[in-house]
Amino acid sequence: EVQLAESGGDLVQPGGSLRLSCAVSGFILRRQYISWVRQAPGKGLEWVAVVYGAGSTFYADSVTGRFNISRDTSTNTVSLQMNRLRVEDSGIYYCARWGTSCGSRNCYDYWGRGTRVTVSS
Amino acid sequence: AIQLTQSPSSVSASLGDRITITCRSSQGIRDDLNWYQQKPGKAPKLLIYASSTLQGGVPSRFSGSGSGTDFTLTISNLQPEDFATYYCLQDFNYPHTFGQGTKLEIK
């Protein structure tokens, strides 16, 4: 069974750092794309970052230079290191698999339940 | 980054009604457009991928269409469990982007 489970959310001051983790199971991590998607309180969904292939990454403009996504295939974990945090980074952070269960297409087929990040003084 | 514009931002409808949500892309994205449903406190759920293909287990009252820059999600015969927020997502290129969402409420 495919599962993703986020952890690491917390209250942090502006300018601080936080590391989120996404533990995956039920599939081979190195063969799949894993993204982070966030949702500010009462707002819509925002795509944040992806890790795939041999460790390639891509980021949304809003987090480039501040966030770093990585993965550890030995522990089946994807991490999101968040630095220089801003109030507007607050929200629920989901990890999601851009998987291969949609015929010949990729799609965000499995999601975790999310972890809450609050950036406030 | 590609921008997706959804309309309306909210819609009120009654049980049994049919509603349509549109999603317009700032550039052509072939049919690389997916639709998600989200209920409060829950992760998004995939409804439709590749513009018009229903994900397994999704009721046939949901349908999608479009290619290039203009896409629609139609829900027929609204059921109580359909009242939620709907998002389009483009995965044509990075960064992937979502529409701003459409909240479907009971009239």
Side-chain angles (χ1 to χ4, degrees):
Chain A
E1 181 188 6
V2 172
Q3 291 187 329
L4 298 91
E6 305 90 341
S7 61
D10 205 346
L11 169 65
V12 61
Q13 293 189 338
S17 298
L18 198 61
R19 188 176 184 87
L20 305 183
S21 295
C22 173
V24 308
S25 59
F27 62 94
I28 299 173
L29 178 58
R30 68 175 183 274
R31 295 182 181 175
Q32 300 287 346
Y33 294 59
I34 302 295
S35 289
W36 287 92
V37 174
R38 67 184 181 182
Q39 187 166 36
K43 301 298 183 181
L45 300 167
E46 179 186 15
W47 184 90
V48 174
V50 64
V51 61
Y52 61 97
S56 299
T57 60
F58 204 100
Y59 299 89
D61 289 346
S62 58
V63 306
T64 296
R66 299 188 300 124
F67 289 13
N68 184 68
I69 187 172
S70 61
R71 70 182 183 194
D72 184 340
T73 55
S74 67
T75 61
N76 286 329
T77 302
V78 174
S79 297
L80 185 68
Q81 176 67 41
M82 305 186 295
N83 301 321
R84 291 184 281 145
L85 282 162
R86 305 167 179 167
V87 171
E88 55 265 33
D89 294 319
S90 298
I92 302 294
Y93 283 70
Y94 298 98
C95 59
R97 188 185 83 162
W98 197 48
T100 52
S101 67
C102 293
S104 61
R105 310 291 285 267
N106 284 77
C107 60
Y108 287 105
D109 52 3
Y110 289 94
W111 297 67
R113 293 185 175 186
T115 187
R116 183 179 299 274
V117 173
T118 303
V119 184
S120 174
S121 54
Chain B
I2 295 172
Q3 295 182 6
L4 297 180
T5 303
Q6 266 183 256
S7 62
S9 56
S10 66
V11 56
S12 295
S14 301
L15 295 178
D17 282 356
R18 175 178 186 237
I19 65 108
T20 297
I21 299 168
T22 65
C23 181
R24 175 162 289 175
S25 175
S26 60
Q27 66 184 72
I29 56 172
R30 303 179 309 196
D31 65 349
D32 294 329
L33 192 286
N34 305 328
W35 290 96
Y36 292 83
Q37 176 193 68
Q38 188 182 33
K39 296 183 178 179
K42 300 294 187 181
K45 173 188 173 184
L46 177 65
L47 298 176
I48 289 171
Y49 63 91
S51 176
S52 61
T53 305
L54 217 58
Q55 174 70 326
V58 175
S60 59
R61 62 180 181 272
F62 291 88
S63 63
S65 66
S67 68
T69 60
D70 294 296
F71 302 86
T72 61
L73 170 70
T74 299
I75 314 172
S76 303
N77 187 24
L78 281 169
Q79 298 299 300
E81 60 268 29
D82 299 336
F83 293 93
T85 301
Y86 294 85
Y87 296 91
C88 54
L89 164 83
Q90 68 80 20
D91 56 4
F92 174 76
N93 65 11
Y94 290 119
H96 292 172
T97 48
F98 289 91
Q100 75 272 28
T102 296
K103 186 173 185 179
L104 174 56
E105 299 175 302
I106 298 178
K107 185 182 289 183

